Structures are given as structure tokens and as C-alpha cells.
Amino acid sequence: MKLTIGNVTLENNLILAPMAGVTDLPFRLLCKEQGAGLLCTEMVSAKAIYFKNKNTKSLMQILPRERPVSLQLFGSEPELMGFIARQIEEQPFDILDINMGCPVPKVVNNGEGSALMKNPKLVGEIVKKVASSIQKPLTVKIRKGFTEDCVNAVEIAKIIEDAGAAAVAVHGRTREQYYSGRADWDIIRRVKEAVSIPVIGNGDVDSPESAKRLLEETGCDGIMIGRAARGNPWIFSRIRSYLENGTMPDEPAASDVREMILKHARLQLEYKGEYTGMREMRKHVAWYTAGMPHSASVRRKVNEIETYEQLEELVNMF
Ligand SMILES: Cc1cc2nc3c(=O)[nH]c(=O)nc-3n(C[C@H](O)[C@H](O)[C@H](O)COP(=O)(O)O)c2cc1C
């Protein structure tokens, strides 16, 4: 199903969630090939862009062939966020997203990420400032609330809509929960009932069936997939096939997994070089092989991988 966010129409409503340390350029390209309708970058600090931190450049590298892409910023100062949004607008992203869900102390203690959910007035100011600083559509990713005693996703989503955002993504967990427990999809349904902009549901979609259930139970417009995509870019093609023609595709065969790991590794070589690329592949291989026979020994061995040849040799063993 197509999804329109501002003036950007996505071919389908399946969205790769922003994940720091995961959704870099190589991984996004693989998800794109499998049919994801929108890819999100890792979160990028507005302050780090302002201070020209050298890591932000690679975080913001986007290729024409992966578009449409949403670039995610985090920060808490409306002026700075607006200034940076305008400054980077020429870069090849299609949608700008603001992170209001990150739970990690380093971010929250700065009043950024999910800490913003505690400050509805500031949320409105940030969204208004950024939305009026750029032409591209602005979206915001929120949580259910900060704590179970302060569940305010509906109120925050309305503020975000009124301040000019083109869509809102809702992760059905509080900050307090981090990633534990089950995501509350009812809060997604309640946000959907309260706003007119598209609502993207997020939390615990890990199969074609759960994707369909999220749509049915919440009425949400888009489906955002995070952890289940790690080591599993096929999740996008499998969900698409199930939603579009009701057929349940097979899980990838071992040979598909092997090919995907090597393709992923070649993209890492191309964009990050062998030293960094192969070290980063270690965690990806652990995800790709989780649950497969001998996965524990593969994980052990992969932690010593330093070259593409060593990786190839290892994956040829299974
Ligand atoms: C390793 C990791 C990194 C994440 N990084 C970000 C991030 O940079 N920005 C963000 O908005 N959410 C981030 N998230 C949250 C995910 O986007 C998503 O909301 C969450 O994982 C719930 O969806 P899921 O159940 O499909 O995984 C991250 C999650 C994980 C597991």
C-alpha cells in the first residue's frame, strides 16, 4: 500500500526504523533491494553537525539509489534544530525526522530524545521551528510516554500535528521500558484516532502476520520495523508478499543467508574499508545466523574476523 508523507509518496508503507549502529548505508541498501518503502538513517546529533564532528558526515551519506530516505536528527534547542535543518536541507534525503524516543541516559540526561516527551511545550516549539525552516516534510518519532505514569503519546502527537509535522511514528513502549515487555499497540490506535496526519506504528513487528495484525488492530498508515530487520532484510519482501497477495513466502534458505552476508560484507568493504567494515560485520553475522545450527560457534569465530577472505571462508563452512 502506498503512503504519502507531505509531498513524498512511498511505493509501500513498510519502513526501516532508524537504528544507531545498524541502519548505515550498506544495510539500508540491502533493505531497499528487499523492497522497503522508506529507509531511515541512524540518528545524527544536531549539535554534532553544528560543531562539524567528523563522524556525522558518514552518518549522513545517502545514495540516490536508496531514496526515499528519512534523515533523523536529535537535539532539544529549537533555534539550533531549525538552523541545522535548513543548513543540511540540500543533502539528498527526502524526509527529515526528529528523534523523541531515544532512551539512552547520555541523550536523555541532555534533555534530548525521549526526555522531550516530558516537555510538551518544547516539543511544539521544536517542531514549529524546524517545520518552518525547511521545505521537505518533517516527521517525528515518539514513544508511548516517558513512564507508565505519564503516558502522553496522544497529547504529544496532537501538538506535533498542530506544529506542522507531516507524519508521526509511535513506538508503543515508554522510555522506562526501553525495549523490554510487549509494545502497546493500543496507544498507536489511540494516536491514529486523534490526528489526521499519517501514523506509523512501531514495536514488535517481526513477521508477515504481526505486520498485518498491527495494521488491523491500530488502523495505522505505515509499519516501522526495527530489530526484526537485523540480519533479516528479507522481512520487507516477505511482509510485502503477504500483505499484497496473501502468500506466505518461505524463510530464506541457508544459501540465501550466505549470499546476503557476503553481499553485505562487500558493501561494507566499499563504503567503510576492510578494517572497520569487517569488524562491523561481526555483529551482523551474529544476527544473520541467530537460531541456525552451529550459530554459537559461528559467533565465536566471527569475532576474530579481520578480512573479507576470512569471512568468506567462515560462511562457506555452513
Ligand atoms: C540498536 C538499536 C538502535 C536504535 N537506534 C535508534 C535511533 O537512532 N533512533 C530512533 O528513533 N530509534 C532507535 N531505535 C529504536 C527503533 O527505531 C524502534 O523504535 C524500536 O527498536 C522498536 O521497534 P522494533 O520492536 O521493531 O525493534 C533503536 C533500536 C535499537 C534496537
Side-chain angles (χ1 to χ4, degrees):
M1 198 170 68
K2 286 195 191 234
L3 171 60
T4 299
I5 297 176
N7 57 4
V8 176
T9 297
L10 312 179
E11 270 310 302
N12 67 69
N13 60 354
L14 304 183
I15 301 169
L16 172 66
M19 285 182 285
V22 183
T23 59
D24 58 2
L25 174 57
F27 183 65
R28 294 199 304 268
L29 288 170
L30 298 176
C31 293
K32 175 76 177 186
E33 267 182 22
Q34 293 298 319
L38 178 68
L39 306 168
C40 299
T41 66
E42 304 172 74
M43 63 181 189
V44 188
S45 156
K47 264 192 223 141
I49 300 175
Y50 184 75
F51 290 113
K52 301 193 168 39
N53 178 310
K54 61 178 175 5
N55 292 334
T56 57
K57 211 169 154 206
S58 66
L59 287 175
M60 291 197 292
Q61 188 188 3
I62 291 165
L63 296 184
R65 71 175 195 272
E66 54 169 329
R67 292 174 70 179
V69 172
S70 164
L71 183 128
Q72 190 186 58
L73 275 186
F74 72 99
S76 61
E77 295 163 33
E79 286 299 325
L80 179 77
M81 297 281 282
F83 174 76
I84 291 298
R86 186 159 49 228
Q87 190 186 85
I88 64 173
E89 192 175 13
E90 292 307 306
Q91 302 206 20
F93 63 88
D94 301 273
I95 293 172
L96 188 71
D97 184 61
I98 300 178
N99 179 321
M100 298 197 184
C102 181
V104 307
K106 197 170 74 181
V107 171
V108 169
N109 294 340
N110 266 337
E112 301 171 330
S114 60
L116 290 167
M117 304 260 331
K118 292 192 291 187
N119 195 338
K121 184 165 166 282
L122 184 57
V123 167
E125 287 165 10
I126 294 172
V127 176
K128 204 168 197 165
K129 189 73 204 175
V130 177
S132 63
S133 300
I134 57 173
Q135 306 292 318
K136 289 180 183 177
L138 175 68
T139 59
V140 185
K141 182 162 175 280
I142 65 174
R143 280 186 176 242
K144 175 181 179 181
F146 195 76
T147 61
E148 211 50 51
D149 295 334
C150 181
V151 169
N152 61 353
V154 171
E155 175 198 356
I156 295 281
K158 283 189 193 158
I159 290 171
I160 287 168
E161 173 174 46
D162 289 345
V168 61
V170 185
H171 175 196
R173 285 189 180 82
T174 61
R175 184 269 173 166
E176 199 173 34
Q177 286 179 293
Y178 267 64
Y179 300 103
S180 70
R182 300 262 344 136
D184 173 6
W185 287 357
D186 199 52
I187 192 73
I188 301 170
R189 181 187 62 75
R190 283 164 50 205
V191 169
K192 174 64 192 167
E193 281 172 5
V195 298
S196 319
I197 51 175
V199 173
I200 296 156
N202 171 237
D204 296 344
V205 172
D206 59 1
S207 62
E209 295 97 325
S210 56
K212 184 155 187 265
R213 251 189 300 115
L214 177 72
L215 286 178
E216 288 169 356
E217 289 178 19
T218 69
C220 67
D221 305 280
I223 305 172
M224 181 176 270
I225 300 148
R227 290 163 298 171
R230 296 187 297 194
N232 183 23
W234 301 274
I235 191 150
F236 294 101
S237 50
R238 296 184 71 241
I239 294 177
R240 268 184 79 173
S241 153
Y242 188 63
L243 293 181
E244 286 168 14
N245 48 45
T247 54
M248 178 59 80
D250 292 337
E251 301 268 358
S255 57
D256 299 324
V257 175
R258 184 182 160 281
E259 290 310 312
M260 189 67 86
I261 291 174
L262 294 178
K263 188 180 227 181
H264 196 157
R266 288 191 296 272
L267 289 167
Q268 289 277 10
L269 279 184
E270 186 176 349
Y271 294 105
K272 305 208 169 179
E274 193 158 52
Y275 185 87
T276 305
M278 292 311 103
R279 277 163 182 76
E280 289 188 359
M281 272 316 286
R282 295 171 182 177
K283 65 187 174 199
H284 291 287
V285 171
W287 287 320
Y288 279 113
T289 57
M292 289 172 77
H294 316 300
S295 66
S297 87
V298 169
R299 259 203 306 281
R300 250 191 333 272
K301 290 187 185 128
V302 83
N303 282 328
E304 283 152 26
I305 291 292
E306 291 184 348
T307 67
Y308 180 80
E309 282 70 32
Q310 289 169 346
L311 179 64
E312 200 171 25
E313 206 174 300
L314 178 67
V315 299
N316 280 337
M317 281 163 44
F318 61 86

